[in-house]
Amino acid sequence: MWTSRPDGGPDRLLTLADGVFAIAITLLVLDLYVPRDLDADRYREALHQLLPDLGAYALSVAVLGSFWRDHRRIFRDVREVDGHVIILSLTGLGVAALVPFPTRLLAEYGDVPASVAVYAAAVAALGACHLALAAVLAKRPWLRDGTPSDTGSTPYLLESATLVVVFAVTVPLALVIGAAAMWLWLVLVPVRYVLGRRLQKAG
Protein backbone atom coordinates (compact mmCIF):
# COMPACT_ATOMS: atom_id res chain seq x y z
CA MET A 1 0.00 0.00 0.00
CA TRP A 2 1.30 3.45 -0.90
CA THR A 3 2.01 5.79 2.00
CA SER A 4 3.22 9.37 1.96
CA ARG A 5 6.50 10.27 3.60
CA PRO A 6 6.00 11.98 6.99
CA ASP A 7 7.71 15.35 7.28
CA GLY A 8 7.71 15.90 11.04
CA GLY A 9 5.08 16.70 13.64
CA PRO A 10 2.24 19.21 13.27
CA ASP A 11 3.31 21.50 16.14
CA ARG A 12 4.99 24.18 14.03
CA LEU A 13 2.16 24.10 11.49
CA LEU A 14 -0.42 24.60 14.23
CA THR A 15 1.61 27.43 15.75
CA LEU A 16 1.80 29.11 12.35
CA ALA A 17 -1.95 28.66 11.89
CA ASP A 18 -2.68 30.19 15.29
CA GLY A 19 -0.54 33.20 14.37
CA VAL A 20 -2.10 33.69 10.94
CA PHE A 21 -5.67 33.53 12.24
CA ALA A 22 -4.81 35.86 15.13
CA ILE A 23 -3.22 38.42 12.80
CA ALA A 24 -6.08 38.19 10.30
CA ILE A 25 -8.66 38.85 13.03
CA THR A 26 -6.52 41.73 14.36
CA LEU A 27 -6.34 43.31 10.90
CA LEU A 28 -10.12 43.32 10.73
CA VAL A 29 -10.36 45.86 13.54
CA LEU A 30 -7.71 48.29 12.32
CA ASP A 31 -10.12 50.20 10.07
CA LEU A 32 -12.69 50.69 12.84
CA TYR A 33 -12.32 54.26 14.08
CA VAL A 34 -14.20 57.47 14.70
CA PRO A 35 -12.51 60.79 13.83
CA ARG A 36 -11.52 63.05 16.70
CA ASP A 37 -12.92 66.47 17.60
CA LEU A 38 -16.44 65.90 16.29
CA ASP A 39 -19.47 67.72 17.61
CA ALA A 40 -22.41 65.70 18.93
CA ASP A 41 -24.29 65.52 15.61
CA ARG A 42 -21.28 64.53 13.55
CA TYR A 43 -20.26 62.05 16.24
CA ARG A 44 -23.63 60.27 16.04
CA GLU A 45 -23.40 60.32 12.25
CA ALA A 46 -19.92 58.79 12.39
CA LEU A 47 -21.17 56.01 14.67
CA HIS A 48 -24.06 55.35 12.30
CA GLN A 49 -21.67 55.13 9.35
CA LEU A 50 -19.60 52.64 11.33
CA LEU A 51 -22.42 50.07 11.50
CA PRO A 52 -21.60 48.37 8.15
CA ASP A 53 -17.98 48.08 9.27
CA LEU A 54 -19.02 46.49 12.55
CA GLY A 55 -21.33 44.09 10.75
CA ALA A 56 -18.61 43.00 8.33
CA TYR A 57 -16.16 42.73 11.24
CA ALA A 58 -18.51 40.50 13.25
CA LEU A 59 -19.20 38.29 10.24
CA SER A 60 -15.51 37.78 9.47
CA VAL A 61 -14.59 37.16 13.11
CA ALA A 62 -17.23 34.42 13.15
CA VAL A 63 -15.94 32.99 9.87
CA LEU A 64 -12.26 33.05 10.84
CA GLY A 65 -12.98 31.82 14.36
CA SER A 66 -14.98 28.90 12.98
CA PHE A 67 -12.23 27.94 10.55
CA TRP A 68 -9.56 28.25 13.24
CA ARG A 69 -11.56 25.93 15.49
CA ASP A 70 -12.03 23.45 12.65
CA HIS A 71 -8.33 23.60 11.78
CA ARG A 72 -7.44 22.64 15.36
CA ARG A 73 -10.09 19.94 15.27
CA ILE A 74 -8.77 18.46 12.02
CA PHE A 75 -5.29 18.15 13.55
CA ARG A 76 -6.49 16.86 16.93
CA ASP A 77 -5.20 13.29 16.47
CA VAL A 78 -2.52 13.99 13.86
CA ARG A 79 0.95 12.87 14.92
CA GLU A 80 2.84 13.61 11.70
CA VAL A 81 2.33 15.67 8.56
CA ASP A 82 3.53 15.17 5.00
CA GLY A 83 4.18 17.47 2.07
CA HIS A 84 0.60 17.42 0.80
CA VAL A 85 -0.80 18.30 4.21
CA ILE A 86 1.67 21.16 4.55
CA ILE A 87 0.81 22.56 1.11
CA LEU A 88 -2.94 22.39 1.75
CA SER A 89 -2.50 24.03 5.16
CA LEU A 90 -0.35 26.84 3.77
CA THR A 91 -2.83 27.44 0.94
CA GLY A 92 -5.67 27.70 3.43
CA LEU A 93 -3.68 30.02 5.68
CA GLY A 94 -2.90 32.20 2.68
CA VAL A 95 -6.61 32.55 1.97
CA ALA A 96 -7.35 33.22 5.65
CA ALA A 97 -4.79 36.03 5.66
CA LEU A 98 -6.59 37.52 2.65
CA VAL A 99 -10.02 37.69 4.36
CA PRO A 100 -9.53 41.24 5.75
CA PHE A 101 -9.47 42.57 2.16
CA PRO A 102 -12.90 41.26 1.06
CA THR A 103 -14.19 42.21 4.51
CA ARG A 104 -13.22 45.82 3.79
CA LEU A 105 -14.96 45.59 0.39
CA LEU A 106 -18.10 44.26 2.08
CA ALA A 107 -18.02 47.05 4.68
CA GLU A 108 -17.50 49.93 2.25
CA TYR A 109 -19.25 48.61 -0.87
CA GLY A 110 -21.67 46.03 0.50
CA ASP A 111 -24.36 47.09 -1.97
CA VAL A 112 -22.07 46.34 -4.93
CA PRO A 113 -22.57 42.76 -6.22
CA ALA A 114 -18.86 42.31 -6.92
CA SER A 115 -18.03 42.88 -3.23
CA VAL A 116 -20.39 40.12 -2.12
CA ALA A 117 -19.04 37.82 -4.83
CA VAL A 118 -15.41 38.42 -3.82
CA TYR A 119 -16.17 37.81 -0.14
CA ALA A 120 -18.13 34.63 -0.91
CA ALA A 121 -15.33 33.39 -3.17
CA ALA A 122 -12.76 33.90 -0.40
CA VAL A 123 -14.82 31.98 2.16
CA ALA A 124 -15.57 29.21 -0.36
CA ALA A 125 -11.85 28.89 -1.15
CA LEU A 126 -10.98 28.72 2.55
CA GLY A 127 -13.67 26.10 3.09
CA ALA A 128 -12.41 24.09 0.12
CA CYS A 129 -8.89 24.05 1.58
CA HIS A 130 -10.19 22.78 4.92
CA LEU A 131 -12.38 20.18 3.22
CA ALA A 132 -9.46 18.91 1.15
CA LEU A 133 -7.24 18.83 4.25
CA ALA A 134 -9.78 16.81 6.25
CA ALA A 135 -10.30 14.41 3.33
CA VAL A 136 -6.57 13.86 2.81
CA LEU A 137 -5.94 13.19 6.50
CA ALA A 138 -8.93 10.83 6.60
CA LYS A 139 -7.29 8.72 3.88
CA ARG A 140 -3.89 8.66 5.60
CA PRO A 141 -4.33 6.96 8.98
CA TRP A 142 -0.59 6.43 9.28
CA LEU A 143 -0.27 10.17 9.97
CA ARG A 144 -2.52 9.62 13.01
CA ASP A 145 -0.94 6.32 14.14
CA GLY A 146 -4.11 4.61 13.00
CA THR A 147 -6.35 6.69 15.27
CA PRO A 148 -9.78 7.30 13.67
CA SER A 149 -10.78 10.95 13.24
CA ASP A 150 -14.29 12.40 13.44
CA THR A 151 -13.27 14.99 10.83
CA GLY A 152 -12.95 12.14 8.35
CA SER A 153 -16.53 11.04 8.94
CA THR A 154 -19.27 11.54 6.37
CA PRO A 155 -21.30 14.04 8.49
CA TYR A 156 -18.27 16.28 9.01
CA LEU A 157 -17.17 16.19 5.36
CA LEU A 158 -20.78 16.83 4.29
CA GLU A 159 -21.01 19.78 6.67
CA SER A 160 -17.79 21.26 5.26
CA ALA A 161 -18.90 20.62 1.69
CA THR A 162 -22.23 22.35 2.34
CA LEU A 163 -20.45 25.52 3.43
CA VAL A 164 -18.28 25.49 0.31
CA VAL A 165 -21.27 24.95 -1.98
CA VAL A 166 -23.40 27.69 -0.37
CA PHE A 167 -20.67 30.32 -0.61
CA ALA A 168 -19.63 29.19 -4.08
CA VAL A 169 -23.22 29.47 -5.32
CA THR A 170 -23.37 32.98 -3.84
CA VAL A 171 -20.66 34.17 -6.25
CA PRO A 172 -22.72 34.01 -9.47
CA LEU A 173 -25.96 34.63 -7.58
CA ALA A 174 -24.64 37.94 -6.23
CA LEU A 175 -23.84 39.09 -9.74
CA VAL A 176 -27.46 38.40 -10.72
CA ILE A 177 -29.53 39.57 -7.74
CA GLY A 178 -26.99 41.75 -5.91
CA ALA A 179 -26.31 41.98 -2.19
CA ALA A 180 -29.54 40.10 -1.38
CA ALA A 181 -27.59 36.93 -2.19
CA MET A 182 -26.03 37.18 1.28
CA TRP A 183 -29.32 35.95 2.78
CA LEU A 184 -28.46 32.55 1.34
CA TRP A 185 -25.73 32.25 3.98
CA LEU A 186 -28.41 31.88 6.66
CA VAL A 187 -29.18 28.44 5.24
CA LEU A 188 -25.96 27.27 6.86
CA VAL A 189 -27.31 27.80 10.39
CA PRO A 190 -29.94 25.01 10.42
CA VAL A 191 -27.95 22.77 8.06
CA ARG A 192 -24.78 22.86 10.16
CA TYR A 193 -26.83 22.40 13.32
CA VAL A 194 -28.46 19.23 12.00
CA LEU A 195 -25.20 17.81 10.64
CA GLY A 196 -23.42 18.74 13.87
CA ARG A 197 -25.98 16.80 15.89
CA ARG A 198 -25.52 13.79 13.62
CA LEU A 199 -21.78 14.03 14.07
CA GLN A 200 -22.18 14.08 17.85
CA LYS A 201 -24.40 11.00 17.73
CA ALA A 202 -21.92 9.23 15.47
CA GLY A 203 -19.18 10.09 17.96
Side-chain angles (χ1 to χ4, degrees), residues 47-104:
L47 287 180
H48 180 74
Q49 292 176 350
L50 200 60
L51 291 178
D53 300 68
L54 291 172
Y57 166 77
L59 174 63
S60 291
V61 167
V63 167
L64 289 173
S66 176
F67 278 113
W68 171 78
R69 181 198 62 187
D70 281 352
H71 190 269
R72 301 287 294 188
R73 184 178 177 185
I74 289 171
F75 280 91
R76 181 183 301 162
D77 300 314
V78 174
R79 301 291 179 263
E80 295 179 295
V81 295
D82 60 17
H84 291 159
V85 172
I86 292 174
I87 290 173
L88 284 173
S89 293
L90 291 178
T91 303
L93 293 177
V95 178
L98 186 65
V99 169
F101 169 66
T103 301
R104 175 63 14 209

